[in-house]
Amino acid sequence: MSKRDRRRPRGAAPTPTGRRARTEPPRLESSSKETPVFCFQHIDRNGDARWAFNPRSEDAGRVLFFLCQMAQLTWAEIEAQKTGSGTNRHKKHHDQEVESLRSEAREALHQRKLGVIFGDSNIFRFRVDGTTRLWGFRQGRIFHVVWWDPNHQVYPTEPN
């Protein structure tokens, strides 16, 4: 066995064959009592211009302000927020089935292999304001930001 074979990455246990085992990223359960941590490792800056994470300079302050507001709340408080009035109240921030997204958005997730990393059934969306959405994946308390959708194009709806 060479010196190179004896080295192993941190956290990877050797297999019976002496080869290094690939370690999967841990799947963390969502902690409703914790505040979110925002991660920008998976942002899509070069994708579809309608929703790539490339806020215009006039939106930069709004993005930062929104993230700071959400970082002060627990996930339970975020998920409890409602929008609408009367009997037309619904969750303001919530999971969305990937299959319900515009086909171009689903394809972008597939091409970037984000479904492999985070699972391919749900993506989370924050409602920033009337038409603006922030899309990404929750993994435990971490929110992995993917898209800034200022015109509600990832999952378009008809106006009421």
Side-chain angles (χ1 to χ4, degrees):
M1 181 185 298
S2 74
K3 186 176 181 180
R4 180 178 183 160
D5 292 333
R6 283 180 274 180
R7 287 184 290 167
R8 60 185 135 102
R10 226 182 248 174
T15 63
T17 63
R19 293 184 180 175
R20 287 179 259 167
R22 285 192 85 184
T23 55
E24 293 293 322
R27 294 285 183 200
L28 304 172
E29 293 301 316
S30 176
S31 178
S32 61
K33 294 179 182 177
E34 293 184 296
T35 57
V37 172
F38 294 94
C39 174
F40 296 89
Q41 178 181 1
H42 300 286
I43 60 171
D44 183 358
R45 291 184 62 94
N46 300 313
D48 193 304
R50 294 174 289 181
W51 57 73
F53 192 87
N54 198 10
R56 298 176 310 216
S57 58
E58 59 267 21
D59 289 334
R62 189 163 58 128
V63 173
L64 183 58
F65 181 77
F66 179 78
L67 294 173
C68 290
Q69 280 184 314
M70 293 299 106
Q72 300 299 311
L73 304 173
T74 65
W75 277 110
E77 291 169 327
I78 290 168
E79 290 181 323
Q81 290 185 358
K82 304 272 187 194
T83 188
S85 60
T87 59
N88 194 24
R89 292 184 57 76
H90 53 278
K91 285 187 170 188
K92 188 173 183 180
H93 316 291
H94 57 80
D95 281 328
Q96 183 78 36
E97 289 183 15
V98 169
E99 279 301 310
S100 69
L101 304 181
R102 183 183 294 266
S103 62
E104 298 95 332
R106 289 192 315 266
E107 181 60 26
L109 293 175
H110 176 72
Q111 286 178 354
R112 298 182 69 232
K113 300 184 183 346
L114 294 179
V116 173
I117 297 169
F118 298 108
D120 57 3
S121 59
N122 288 316
I123 189 169
F124 192 87
R125 67 127 222 208
F126 280 102
R127 180 177 194 234
V128 179
D129 62 27
T131 60
T132 307
R133 306 293 183 263
L134 182 68
W135 294 88
F137 292 95
R138 282 184 62 184
Q139 192 175 43
R141 71 184 287 204
I142 301 170
F143 182 76
H144 297 271
V145 177
V146 177
W147 294 315
W148 171 254
D149 181 13
N151 297 308
H152 207 317
Q153 295 295 306
V154 171
Y155 176 72
T157 57
E158 296 296 321
N160 293 339

